[in-house]
Amino acid sequence: MRKICTLHLLTTKRMLSFRADREEEVFLTINEIKSVAASSPEAVVNLNETAMALTSRIICRMAFGKRLGRETDRFHDLLLECQAVLANFYFRDHFPLMGWVDHLNGSIARLEKNFNDMDVFYQELIDEHLNPERSNKVQDDIVDILLQLKNENSCSLSLTFDHIKAIVMDIFLAGTETSASAIVWAMTFLIKNQKALKRAQQEVRNAVGNKGKIDEEDLQNFVYLKAVIKESLRLCPVAPLLVPRETIDVCVLNGYKIPKKTLVYVNAWAIGRDPKYWDDPEEFQPERFLGSGIDYKGTNIELIPFGSGRRGCPGMSLGSTTMELALSNILYAFDWKLPEGMKGEDVDTVITPGIVLHKKNVLNLIPRCS
Ligand code: HEM
């Protein structure tokens, strides 16, 4: 799966080919926020929903070659249900002898229904892509690429339709919530730290002037914004325990003997806040990254929000570009205010437990057109 992602689906060349789609979805989102701002001076935007809708639309364009609209709304509902059933508590995972409770309380029936509905959706999508008379194709999307790989038999694994469905699903689950949550955390820290917010805003506005919007070419100029993103991911790595690993041999770590075939979790959250590596680890200080060579690409082991090594995130480039493009446009187009009566210190950083670290309470902010 990872190999197919890195060699065929999420390569730099492919990422560039989807650039116009990403930019268009970000600009459409900015226009939607402008309509909210125009409706009333106190109208709030739910940043959690906005970010999730944006990242889902981007991945939908790349994966299926279509905009998230009426037809794909069905997919959106299925995806939300899928996220809910995955986050559910299953007795069988913790007390194998009590697995019958999951049947009794309907959890398994719900899981199976979602699985079947997803399967039908993906099969229709594959059939549509296989149709030689398909009319709306602009360029190859991820389903097209996977179907070509299947036909050419060019992967080490001979791909089936089930593999294709599983890969598209994985990309969706791994790519939407993570990027959306990371955008929300960055805005949360910025609204709590007005000095950093102003500095990031000044940087993007100075760099592009009256151009009206920021495209991907401009992103290379945003040194401070990139530091904001690193600092936000240090404090809130959205996949805090990365992906679990299994030891292939006995090893000794800090004097602890770890047997072969042990499930190991890497705590990226604790590493990012370790006082051995970070001064004032609990403070949001993007400046710590200015002039420092520390990056999140996996070589600086004190900052690993995208993991590291062979299992490191294959969507890192897409995830960081999406974050930079969304945040820079959000800061460029609007001045952001807290709802009446709220101060920065009232904005909480409470998290919901789960594979992806979400802000528990919605981030509602008032946009004012700049
Ligand atoms: C801010 C955005 C993102 C963050 C913070 C993030 C973080 C991570 C992390 C920590 C892992 C586990 C790495 C490890 O254990 O070493 C991971 C795996 C993965 N990510 Fe991301 N990710 C992001 C965006 C994306 C995007 C946009 C995609 C695809 C479109 C993606 C696809 C994947 C996949 C397929 C895996 C599983 C790789 C495997 O099983 O080996 N991610 N991600």
Side-chain angles (χ1 to χ4, degrees), residues 42-60:
E42 295 309 315
V44 294
V45 169
N46 174 332
L47 259 286
N48 297 54
E49 269 179 13
T50 307
M52 190 63 198
L54 171 64
T55 56
S56 304
R57 286 163 168 187
I58 291 179
I59 305 269
C60 197

PDB file of all heavy atoms in Angstrom, residues 42-60:
ATOM      1  N   GLU A  42     -21.311  39.861  12.715  1.00  0.00           N
ATOM      2  CA  GLU A  42     -21.013  38.944  13.825  1.00  0.00           C
ATOM      3  C   GLU A  42     -21.128  37.474  13.419  1.00  0.00           C
ATOM      4  O   GLU A  42     -21.053  36.585  14.271  1.00  0.00           O
ATOM      5  CB  GLU A  42     -21.980  39.204  15.007  1.00  0.00           C
ATOM      6  CG  GLU A  42     -21.824  40.571  15.666  1.00  0.00           C
ATOM      7  CD  GLU A  42     -20.377  40.903  16.060  1.00  0.00           C
ATOM      8  OE1 GLU A  42     -19.710  40.026  16.631  1.00  0.00           O
ATOM      9  OE2 GLU A  42     -19.921  42.024  15.752  1.00  0.00           O
ATOM     10  N   ALA A  43     -21.322  37.212  12.107  1.00  0.00           N
ATOM     11  CA  ALA A  43     -21.499  35.818  11.671  1.00  0.00           C
ATOM     12  C   ALA A  43     -20.211  35.029  11.920  1.00  0.00           C
ATOM     13  O   ALA A  43     -19.113  35.507  11.630  1.00  0.00           O
ATOM     14  CB  ALA A  43     -21.856  35.789  10.195  1.00  0.00           C
ATOM     15  N   VAL A  44     -20.360  33.825  12.486  1.00  0.00           N
ATOM     16  CA  VAL A  44     -19.175  33.028  12.787  1.00  0.00           C
ATOM     17  C   VAL A  44     -18.982  31.917  11.754  1.00  0.00           C
ATOM     18  O   VAL A  44     -19.937  31.455  11.138  1.00  0.00           O
ATOM     19  CB  VAL A  44     -19.233  32.367  14.191  1.00  0.00           C
ATOM     20  CG1 VAL A  44     -19.194  33.384  15.306  1.00  0.00           C
ATOM     21  CG2 VAL A  44     -20.423  31.441  14.314  1.00  0.00           C
ATOM     22  N   VAL A  45     -17.727  31.511  11.608  1.00  0.00           N
ATOM     23  CA  VAL A  45     -17.398  30.370  10.752  1.00  0.00           C
ATOM     24  C   VAL A  45     -16.925  29.240  11.666  1.00  0.00           C
ATOM     25  O   VAL A  45     -16.084  29.455  12.534  1.00  0.00           O
ATOM     26  CB  VAL A  45     -16.275  30.755   9.767  1.00  0.00           C
ATOM     27  CG1 VAL A  45     -15.728  29.531   9.046  1.00  0.00           C
ATOM     28  CG2 VAL A  45     -16.793  31.756   8.758  1.00  0.00           C
ATOM     29  N   ASN A  46     -17.490  28.056  11.445  1.00  0.00           N
ATOM     30  CA  ASN A  46     -17.040  26.881  12.190  1.00  0.00           C
ATOM     31  C   ASN A  46     -15.806  26.337  11.451  1.00  0.00           C
ATOM     32  O   ASN A  46     -15.922  25.708  10.400  1.00  0.00           O
ATOM     33  CB  ASN A  46     -18.195  25.868  12.209  1.00  0.00           C
ATOM     34  CG  ASN A  46     -17.804  24.554  12.830  1.00  0.00           C
ATOM     35  OD1 ASN A  46     -16.642  24.158  12.803  1.00  0.00           O
ATOM     36  ND2 ASN A  46     -18.792  23.859  13.388  1.00  0.00           N
ATOM     37  N   LEU A  47     -14.631  26.612  12.022  1.00  0.00           N
ATOM     38  CA  LEU A  47     -13.391  26.247  11.335  1.00  0.00           C
ATOM     39  C   LEU A  47     -13.214  24.730  11.214  1.00  0.00           C
ATOM     40  O   LEU A  47     -12.618  24.257  10.248  1.00  0.00           O
ATOM     41  CB  LEU A  47     -12.194  26.855  12.084  1.00  0.00           C
ATOM     42  CG  LEU A  47     -11.540  28.137  11.552  1.00  0.00           C
ATOM     43  CD1 LEU A  47     -10.718  27.901  10.332  1.00  0.00           C
ATOM     44  CD2 LEU A  47     -12.534  29.245  11.290  1.00  0.00           C
ATOM     45  N   ASN A  48     -13.739  23.990  12.185  1.00  0.00           N
ATOM     46  CA  ASN A  48     -13.610  22.518  12.113  1.00  0.00           C
ATOM     47  C   ASN A  48     -14.319  21.983  10.877  1.00  0.00           C
ATOM     48  O   ASN A  48     -13.760  21.199  10.105  1.00  0.00           O
ATOM     49  CB  ASN A  48     -14.210  21.845  13.357  1.00  0.00           C
ATOM     50  CG  ASN A  48     -13.492  22.234  14.617  1.00  0.00           C
ATOM     51  OD1 ASN A  48     -13.351  23.415  14.899  1.00  0.00           O
ATOM     52  ND2 ASN A  48     -13.011  21.266  15.357  1.00  0.00           N
ATOM     53  N   GLU A  49     -15.579  22.446  10.695  1.00  0.00           N
ATOM     54  CA  GLU A  49     -16.353  21.970   9.539  1.00  0.00           C
ATOM     55  C   GLU A  49     -15.740  22.465   8.232  1.00  0.00           C
ATOM     56  O   GLU A  49     -15.644  21.723   7.263  1.00  0.00           O
ATOM     57  CB  GLU A  49     -17.781  22.517   9.626  1.00  0.00           C
ATOM     58  CG  GLU A  49     -18.713  21.601  10.355  1.00  0.00           C
ATOM     59  CD  GLU A  49     -20.118  22.188  10.455  1.00  0.00           C
ATOM     60  OE1 GLU A  49     -20.418  23.168   9.751  1.00  0.00           O
ATOM     61  OE2 GLU A  49     -20.896  21.656  11.258  1.00  0.00           O
ATOM     62  N   THR A  50     -15.314  23.736   8.242  1.00  0.00           N
ATOM     63  CA  THR A  50     -14.774  24.316   7.011  1.00  0.00           C
ATOM     64  C   THR A  50     -13.511  23.561   6.567  1.00  0.00           C
ATOM     65  O   THR A  50     -13.355  23.230   5.386  1.00  0.00           O
ATOM     66  CB  THR A  50     -14.426  25.810   7.243  1.00  0.00           C
ATOM     67  OG1 THR A  50     -15.577  26.437   7.771  1.00  0.00           O
ATOM     68  CG2 THR A  50     -13.990  26.498   5.982  1.00  0.00           C
ATOM     69  N   ALA A  51     -12.633  23.278   7.534  1.00  0.00           N
ATOM     70  CA  ALA A  51     -11.372  22.601   7.185  1.00  0.00           C
ATOM     71  C   ALA A  51     -11.641  21.175   6.706  1.00  0.00           C
ATOM     72  O   ALA A  51     -11.036  20.695   5.738  1.00  0.00           O
ATOM     73  CB  ALA A  51     -10.428  22.596   8.384  1.00  0.00           C
ATOM     74  N   MET A  52     -12.587  20.494   7.359  1.00  0.00           N
ATOM     75  CA  MET A  52     -12.886  19.110   6.973  1.00  0.00           C
ATOM     76  C   MET A  52     -13.510  19.071   5.577  1.00  0.00           C
ATOM     77  O   MET A  52     -13.173  18.204   4.761  1.00  0.00           O
ATOM     78  CB  MET A  52     -13.836  18.499   8.021  1.00  0.00           C
ATOM     79  CG  MET A  52     -14.031  17.022   7.881  1.00  0.00           C
ATOM     80  SD  MET A  52     -12.484  16.112   8.127  1.00  0.00           S
ATOM     81  CE  MET A  52     -12.939  14.577   7.374  1.00  0.00           C
ATOM     82  N   ALA A  53     -14.405  20.042   5.305  1.00  0.00           N
ATOM     83  CA  ALA A  53     -15.029  20.074   3.973  1.00  0.00           C
ATOM     84  C   ALA A  53     -13.961  20.330   2.914  1.00  0.00           C
ATOM     85  O   ALA A  53     -13.937  19.682   1.860  1.00  0.00           O
ATOM     86  CB  ALA A  53     -16.087  21.165   3.928  1.00  0.00           C
ATOM     87  N   LEU A  54     -13.034  21.236   3.218  1.00  0.00           N
ATOM     88  CA  LEU A  54     -11.989  21.566   2.244  1.00  0.00           C
ATOM     89  C   LEU A  54     -11.092  20.359   1.940  1.00  0.00           C
ATOM     90  O   LEU A  54     -10.866  20.022   0.773  1.00  0.00           O
ATOM     91  CB  LEU A  54     -11.140  22.737   2.768  1.00  0.00           C
ATOM     92  CG  LEU A  54      -9.883  23.033   1.959  1.00  0.00           C
ATOM     93  CD1 LEU A  54     -10.236  23.494   0.547  1.00  0.00           C
ATOM     94  CD2 LEU A  54      -9.007  24.088   2.637  1.00  0.00           C
ATOM     95  N   THR A  55     -10.595  19.689   2.984  1.00  0.00           N
ATOM     96  CA  THR A  55      -9.666  18.579   2.719  1.00  0.00           C
ATOM     97  C   THR A  55     -10.396  17.414   2.034  1.00  0.00           C
ATOM     98  O   THR A  55      -9.821  16.749   1.181  1.00  0.00           O
ATOM     99  CB  THR A  55      -8.959  18.117   4.007  1.00  0.00           C
ATOM    100  OG1 THR A  55      -9.945  17.758   4.980  1.00  0.00           O
ATOM    101  CG2 THR A  55      -8.056  19.196   4.579  1.00  0.00           C
ATOM    102  N   SER A  56     -11.682  17.216   2.384  1.00  0.00           N
ATOM    103  CA  SER A  56     -12.434  16.137   1.706  1.00  0.00           C
ATOM    104  C   SER A  56     -12.601  16.477   0.228  1.00  0.00           C
ATOM    105  O   SER A  56     -12.479  15.602  -0.642  1.00  0.00           O
ATOM    106  CB  SER A  56     -13.826  15.963   2.301  1.00  0.00           C
ATOM    107  OG  SER A  56     -13.753  15.732   3.663  1.00  0.00           O
ATOM    108  N   ARG A  57     -12.868  17.747  -0.062  1.00  0.00           N
ATOM    109  CA  ARG A  57     -13.064  18.135  -1.476  1.00  0.00           C
ATOM    110  C   ARG A  57     -11.767  17.954  -2.261  1.00  0.00           C
ATOM    111  O   ARG A  57     -11.790  17.516  -3.407  1.00  0.00           O
ATOM    112  CB  ARG A  57     -13.455  19.602  -1.555  1.00  0.00           C
ATOM    113  CG  ARG A  57     -14.868  19.902  -1.125  1.00  0.00           C
ATOM    114  CD  ARG A  57     -14.917  21.362  -0.869  1.00  0.00           C
ATOM    115  NE  ARG A  57     -16.243  21.881  -0.712  1.00  0.00           N
ATOM    116  CZ  ARG A  57     -16.508  23.178  -0.615  1.00  0.00           C
ATOM    117  NH1 ARG A  57     -15.551  24.058  -0.690  1.00  0.00           N
ATOM    118  NH2 ARG A  57     -17.727  23.596  -0.447  1.00  0.00           N
ATOM    119  N   ILE A  58     -10.648  18.324  -1.626  1.00  0.00           N
ATOM    120  CA  ILE A  58      -9.361  18.200  -2.335  1.00  0.00           C
ATOM    121  C   ILE A  58      -9.084  16.732  -2.665  1.00  0.00           C
ATOM    122  O   ILE A  58      -8.771  16.365  -3.797  1.00  0.00           O
ATOM    123  CB  ILE A  58      -8.203  18.819  -1.511  1.00  0.00           C
ATOM    124  CG1 ILE A  58      -8.352  20.342  -1.459  1.00  0.00           C
ATOM    125  CG2 ILE A  58      -6.845  18.423  -2.072  1.00  0.00           C
ATOM    126  CD1 ILE A  58      -7.295  21.070  -0.649  1.00  0.00           C
ATOM    127  N   ILE A  59      -9.246  15.866  -1.653  1.00  0.00           N
ATOM    128  CA  ILE A  59      -8.928  14.452  -1.884  1.00  0.00           C
ATOM    129  C   ILE A  59      -9.944  13.852  -2.861  1.00  0.00           C
ATOM    130  O   ILE A  59      -9.599  13.009  -3.691  1.00  0.00           O
ATOM    131  CB  ILE A  59      -8.891  13.657  -0.560  1.00  0.00           C
ATOM    132  CG1 ILE A  59      -7.908  14.304   0.420  1.00  0.00           C
ATOM    133  CG2 ILE A  59      -8.542  12.198  -0.810  1.00  0.00           C
ATOM    134  CD1 ILE A  59      -6.505  13.834   0.408  1.00  0.00           C
ATOM    135  N   CYS A  60     -11.196  14.300  -2.792  1.00  0.00           N
ATOM    136  CA  CYS A  60     -12.220  13.791  -3.712  1.00  0.00           C
ATOM    137  C   CYS A  60     -11.843  14.119  -5.159  1.00  0.00           C
ATOM    138  O   CYS A  60     -11.954  13.263  -6.046  1.00  0.00           O
ATOM    139  CB  CYS A  60     -13.557  14.415  -3.345  1.00  0.00           C
ATOM    140  SG  CYS A  60     -14.939  13.547  -4.027  1.00  0.00           S
TER     141      CYS A  60
END
